[in-house]
């Protein structure tokens, strides 16, 4: 049996079980579905030997690692969000305002490299605080399409911001 067929069979038979496991850890069904999908995408692109014997261990190890990554990102996001909320009381010097303008200008230059529909998705995500599922619903477009465009925009912005770092 080839790797693709082995993963497909496992996904079909154990998806709900894995989804329940991840949902119990995250508490959010949308994020749990994304994480389960990412587990199988990661395994599809993996160069590890995948057999019926090794697959369950790989799936749960990958799942556990992605859950840890999720909480690690969330912790950093919450710390940054807390920092941003507390900066309102800080005296805004001309230097810090100029720095924010420079970064915003560089961000917009990076966004100029991608098509308009990618820019729109990125702005809704960053400035509107919307998640991919919300943007998808708002624009009336497919989740994967929105996710792909957000990824393309992020990549362009990262490349632009690396140039100023």
């Amino acid at each position: 049996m080839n790797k693709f067929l082995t993963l497909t069979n496992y996904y079909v038979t154990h998806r709900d079980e894995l989804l329940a496991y991840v949902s119990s850890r995250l508490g959010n069904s949308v994020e749990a579905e994304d994480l389960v999908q990412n587990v199988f995408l990661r395994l599809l692109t993996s160069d590890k030997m995948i057999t019926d014997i090794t697959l369950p261990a790989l799936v749960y190890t990958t799942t556990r690692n992605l859950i840890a990554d999720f909480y690690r990102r969330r912790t950093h996001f919450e710390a940054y969000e807390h920092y941003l909320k507390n900066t309102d009381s800080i005296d805004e010097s001309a230097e810090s305002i100029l720095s924010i303008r420079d970064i915003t200008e560089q961000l917009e230059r990076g966004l100029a490299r991608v098509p308009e529909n990618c820019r729109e998705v990125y702005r809704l995500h960053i400035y509107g605080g919307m998640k991919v599922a919300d943007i998808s619903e708002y624009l009336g477009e497919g989740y994967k399409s929105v996710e792909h465009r957000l990824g393309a925009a992020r990549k362009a912005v990262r490349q632009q911001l690396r140039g100023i770092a």
Side-chain angles (χ1 to χ4, degrees):
M1 224 190 254
N2 68 9
K3 175 178 161 179
F4 179 75
L5 191 56
T6 303
L7 280 169
T8 303
N9 290 338
Y10 191 87
Y11 181 81
V12 168
T13 57
H14 297 283
R15 179 191 175 278
D16 293 336
E17 173 188 330
L18 191 61
L19 188 58
Y21 172 77
V22 174
S23 293
S24 71
R25 301 301 190 269
L26 299 184
N28 185 335
S29 63
V30 173
E31 290 172 346
E33 287 177 14
D34 287 347
L35 196 135
V36 168
Q37 184 178 19
N38 286 339
V39 166
F40 286 98
L41 285 174
R42 188 167 284 187
L43 289 173
L44 275 171
T45 58
S46 166
D47 58 351
K48 292 180 172 64
M49 184 178 83
I50 296 178
T51 65
D52 290 331
I53 296 168
T54 61
L55 185 58
L58 280 172
V59 166
Y60 278 94
T61 300
T62 305
T63 303
R64 186 186 70 228
N65 292 340
L66 288 177
I67 289 170
D69 290 346
F70 170 82
Y71 280 113
R72 193 174 304 117
R73 274 192 310 274
R74 190 165 115 186
T75 301
H76 288 295
F77 177 77
E78 288 172 353
Y80 183 70
E81 194 175 54
H82 176 73
Y83 168 77
L84 288 178
K85 286 180 182 175
N86 291 334
T87 57
D88 293 341
S89 62
I90 296 175
D91 163 36
E92 290 186 7
S93 66
E95 215 173 272
S96 67
I97 292 172
L98 182 62
S99 174
I100 291 170
R101 285 188 183 149
D102 288 343
I103 291 171
T104 304
E105 183 179 302
Q106 291 295 329
L107 185 129
E108 289 298 325
R109 283 186 188 159
L111 280 176
R113 295 179 177 184
V114 297
E116 178 58 37
N117 59 0
C118 293
R119 277 181 259 164
E120 180 183 17
V121 168
Y122 189 82
R123 286 184 179 122
L124 286 171
H125 180 70
I126 296 298
Y127 301 129
M130 297 173 78
K131 294 185 179 187
V132 175
D134 300 331
I135 296 169
S136 173
E137 186 178 315
Y138 177 76
L139 297 175
E141 296 181 12
Y143 182 89
K144 281 297 181 185
S145 172
V146 170
E147 187 177 53
H148 175 72
R149 287 188 275 160
L150 180 59
R154 283 178 174 165
K155 185 176 180 180
V157 169
R158 270 194 307 266
Q159 287 175 343
Q160 183 67 30
L161 292 179
R162 278 190 195 124
I164 64 168

